[in-house]
Amino acid sequence: MLMENVKDSVLVRQYIEGDEGSLEILIRRHKQRIYSFIFSKVMDRDITEDVFQDTFIKVIKTLKRGKYNEEGKFLPWVMRIAHNLVIDHFRRNKRMPKFQSRNDFDIFDVISDGEESMEYEMITSQLHDDVKRLVEELPEDQKEVLVMRIYKEMSFKEIAAATDVSINTALGRMRYALINLRKVIDKHNIVLTR
Amino acid sequence: MAKLYKESLPESVKPLGPKEDTIKLLLSFSKALSISHYKNMTFEILNN
């Protein structure tokens, strides 16, 4: 049987099981309808392209996380995601009026807020949350030393006094805390960089 | 006549479909993305 004739539900299942080719068929099968739907709302090619891309990034993440509800049909589900992202786009634009650059003048050539982008801040915040959750998994004595040293910036002398142990013990606990964190990070291929 | 009318539509109202680059980017993203579960945590890993 030609893959083009395979039902969406079968392709979705195959993709979840690791067949990347099934995703390509799904995208190519429905790209025109989804693209036209988005375009009919935003009436701008670049924005349509962005929303189309964001829609499928969400689809891919949801499928890979195993969060897709197989009871629903694939295309209506993707359309709902696209619809929600279109609404998000209009909400953002309402909050932030659009400045249209001309050919001879681009506002971004002359202004800079001098701050990190929102995306950068969000990634940093996510990374900090991930590290905090990993720290929570450490044995209590190691977690205590690590929190005092990294988050409270206490010296090992102060940590030793606060926990009623020798400086060497505090150093040892810190060492094991870092070793244990690295083990978990390596074992699960967790990437903690931007 | 219908053909003439169609041809006179401004280009901006004719959706052509996504660019091939966008589709390729999505397929590459999918291949690079893996999900790792550890206890009650889920991590998204992008392999280059």
Side-chain angles (χ1 to χ4, degrees), chain A residues 54-140:
Chain A
D54 290 347
T55 300
F56 272 98
I57 283 179
K58 202 156 190 177
V59 166
I60 289 165
K61 284 184 176 180
T62 306
L63 292 177
K64 289 219 170 189
R65 279 172 175 253
K67 297 274 175 72
Y68 175 66
N69 172 16
E70 288 189 45
E71 288 167 20
K73 287 190 176 171
F74 180 72
L75 182 60
W77 174 61
V78 180
M79 292 290 226
R80 266 201 313 281
I81 293 174
H83 180 250
N84 289 339
L85 289 173
V86 167
I87 291 171
D88 288 348
H89 159 73
F90 283 120
R91 277 190 190 138
R92 268 199 310 274
N93 263 25
K94 201 177 171 187
R95 279 206 305 270
M96 200 180 295
K98 195 175 175 184
F99 183 93
Q100 194 72 48
S101 295
R102 299 192 312 266
N103 284 341
D104 57 341
F105 175 74
D106 191 325
I107 189 70
F108 292 109
D109 289 341
V110 292
I111 63 162
S112 164
D113 62 4
E115 291 179 2
E116 291 171 348
S117 71
M118 181 58 79
E119 184 189 4
Y120 188 89
E121 282 178 26
M122 283 171 70
I123 295 169
T124 305
S125 165
Q126 181 68 52
L127 285 175
H128 288 172
D129 286 348
D130 287 348
V131 172
K132 274 183 193 164
R133 284 188 294 164
L134 289 171
V135 169
E136 284 300 318
E137 300 296 326
L138 288 171
E140 202 53 45

Side-chain angles (χ1 to χ4, degrees), chain A residues 5-192:
Chain A
N5 300 327
V6 178
K7 280 184 176 178
D8 284 355
S9 56
V10 176
L11 289 169
V12 168
R13 198 182 62 236
Q14 287 177 176
Y15 174 63
I16 291 169
E17 287 167 358
D19 176 20
E20 294 286 336
S22 298
L23 176 73
E24 184 167 3
I25 296 169
L26 284 167
I27 293 177
R28 293 195 186 282
R29 180 179 290 176
H30 299 299
K31 65 178 183 178
Q32 194 60 52
R33 279 190 71 179
I34 296 162
Y35 189 93
S36 300
F37 168 76
I38 300 166
F39 188 85
S40 71
K41 308 287 179 200
V42 301
M43 295 304 283
D44 179 290
R45 278 217 186 114
D46 291 336
I47 296 168
T48 303
E49 204 78 31
D50 285 348
V51 175
F52 180 90
Q53 187 176 301
D54 290 347
T55 300
F56 272 98
I57 283 179
K58 202 156 190 177
V59 166
I60 289 165
K61 284 184 176 180
T62 306
L63 292 177
K64 289 219 170 189
R65 279 172 175 253
K67 297 274 175 72
Y68 175 66
N69 172 16
E70 288 189 45
E71 288 167 20
K73 287 190 176 171
F74 180 72
L75 182 60
W77 174 61
V78 180
M79 292 290 226
R80 266 201 313 281
I81 293 174
H83 180 250
N84 289 339
L85 289 173
V86 167
I87 291 171
D88 288 348
H89 159 73
F90 283 120
R91 277 190 190 138
R92 268 199 310 274
N93 263 25
K94 201 177 171 187
R95 279 206 305 270
M96 200 180 295
K98 195 175 175 184
F99 183 93
Q100 194 72 48
S101 295
R102 299 192 312 266
N103 284 341
D104 57 341
F105 175 74
D106 191 325
I107 189 70
F108 292 109
D109 289 341
V110 292
I111 63 162
S112 164
D113 62 4
E115 291 179 2
E116 291 171 348
S117 71
M118 181 58 79
E119 184 189 4
Y120 188 89
E121 282 178 26
M122 283 171 70
I123 295 169
T124 305
S125 165
Q126 181 68 52
L127 285 175
H128 288 172
D129 286 348
D130 287 348
V131 172
K132 274 183 193 164
R133 284 188 294 164
L134 289 171
V135 169
E136 284 300 318
E137 300 296 326
L138 288 171
E140 202 53 45
D141 56 345
Q142 294 172 23
K143 182 169 75 180
E144 189 180 39
V145 172
L146 189 137
V147 168
M148 286 179 177
R149 182 76 191 108
I150 305 293
Y151 293 100
K152 297 182 181 170
E153 297 181 341
M154 291 166 68
S155 68
F156 280 104
K157 193 177 172 185
E158 290 168 326
I159 294 169
T163 55
D164 202 20
V165 296
S166 68
I167 291 179
N168 272 347
T169 303
L171 283 165
R173 285 177 182 174
M174 182 71 187
R175 183 168 169 265
Y176 280 111
L178 295 176
I179 288 170
N180 284 333
L181 280 179
R182 282 198 193 104
K183 267 188 201 165
V184 174
I185 290 165
D186 288 344
K187 187 177 173 188
H188 297 278
N189 290 324
I190 297 165
V191 179
L192 294 171

